[in-house]
Amino acid sequence: MSALRAARLEGTGRAAHPRRRARRRGLDVEPPLLGRYVPGRSPLHRAGAGAKLAGLGATALVAGLVRSLAPAAVAAPVLLVLVAAVAAVAVACGLGAGLLLTQLRRTAWVLLALGAVQWWLEGPLRAVVVLAAVVACVWAAATVTATTPVAAVLDAVVTGLGPLRRVGVDPGRVALLLTLAVQSIPVVVGLLGQSRAAAAARGLERDLRAVLVPTAVRAVAHAEALAEALAARGLDAGLDDPDDDPDDDPDDDADGARGDHPDAPRGRSPGPR
């Protein structure tokens, strides 16, 4: 049947392009989980990255404390108000309700599973409390991500880690680590999308091995290429064994073992006269 269908498609000039098939199956690669930076001129866009990160931390702290310490009858309305406040800030910044709905759609299975477990263990009111806390944190993180460039976030992290230089923390290396982590997420998602599209083109879209194995191989190859690029630029300095002294010359050690004087010529030793 498949060969006959392919022949009919070829006869009508409608080739089943792999990309088209993948798009029909919803295999296109989506933006990152928390979205991308959306340029704008709102007060939140103009605010400093450090202040926004502090606000995000305060939101998560409030949500966690209310969820843990307050009774469910009190925590539920408070957290729902917090969710509404975060949503109002996102909409006021020009991000639109679509961004918030996208976060709910992407985390729907996690939220449903978490809510079902909490409902079964502690009742419906506690499930509302937990889900409201999670949604508030996710929406706050998405709002900060959409209003702050990644470079500004990294600069804020480096500035915040500046006082830790006295205890041996290198903010530059931390910033490099965060940069690589942030850039690796869309790379791995893109590799997964390529593997899914290739598997769909072969009719193996339901075979997990046909999707996960190529993705893992490509991810490892990308990591090795990235490590080689960093080593070629000398960014792996300081990661070697500290016991290895670059000033040690193996030739000098060999000369010392033979009892030769270091100032003596290194030609052939004169024979007996």
Side-chain angles (χ1 to χ4, degrees):
M1 286 297 291
S2 60
L4 180 60
R5 184 171 180 273
R8 289 178 180 177
L9 289 174
E10 185 177 358
T12 57
R14 294 183 300 153
H17 194 273
R19 264 297 199 220
R20 192 173 304 165
R21 292 176 58 188
R23 190 179 297 112
R24 286 201 303 266
R25 290 181 171 87
L27 298 179
D28 279 352
V29 179
E30 295 184 350
L33 178 61
L34 297 178
R36 295 190 179 96
Y37 171 67
V38 179
R41 297 183 178 180
S42 67
L44 191 59
H45 281 87
R46 296 194 297 267
K52 284 184 278 190
L53 291 177
L56 176 60
T59 302
L61 180 61
V62 170
L65 291 178
V66 172
R67 181 186 64 84
S68 302
L69 301 180
V74 177
V78 172
L79 290 176
L80 289 177
V81 170
L82 181 62
V83 170
V86 173
V89 171
V91 173
C93 293
L95 303 179
L99 173 68
L100 306 180
L101 295 178
T102 299
Q103 307 309 316
L104 291 181
R105 179 177 58 82
R106 293 179 179 178
T107 58
W109 290 108
V110 176
L111 294 176
L112 289 176
L114 184 60
V117 171
Q118 291 296 324
W119 189 309
W120 179 54
L121 293 177
E122 302 186 22
L125 197 57
R126 177 55 61 177
V128 172
V129 170
V130 173
L131 292 180
V134 174
V135 171
C137 293
V138 170
W139 281 1
T143 303
V144 171
T145 304
T147 58
T148 312
V150 177
V153 175
L154 295 177
D155 290 341
V157 171
V158 171
T159 303
L161 295 178
L164 297 181
R165 292 180 183 272
R166 301 178 180 178
V167 295
V169 177
D170 187 357
R173 286 186 175 273
V174 175
L176 176 62
L177 177 62
L178 294 177
T179 303
L180 296 178
V182 170
Q183 292 181 352
S184 297
I185 294 175
V187 169
V188 175
V189 172
L191 295 177
L192 179 61
Q194 295 175 7
S195 300
R196 295 177 67 182
R202 299 195 303 271
L204 300 175
E205 62 271 13
R206 298 183 181 276
D207 189 352
L208 292 179
R209 291 179 299 177
V211 176
L212 298 181
V213 173
T215 302
V217 172
R218 293 174 179 176
V220 171
H222 171 74
E224 292 181 350
L226 182 61
E228 293 177 357
L230 293 176
R233 288 164 175 79
L235 295 178
D236 62 340
L239 300 180
D240 299 332
D241 189 359
D243 295 335
D244 295 339
D245 188 0
D247 295 334
D248 291 342
D249 191 353
D251 293 337
D252 295 342
D253 296 339
D255 293 341
R258 292 195 304 266
D260 297 339
H261 193 275
D263 296 334
R266 300 196 180 192
R268 294 181 57 187
S269 300
R273 295 181 180 179

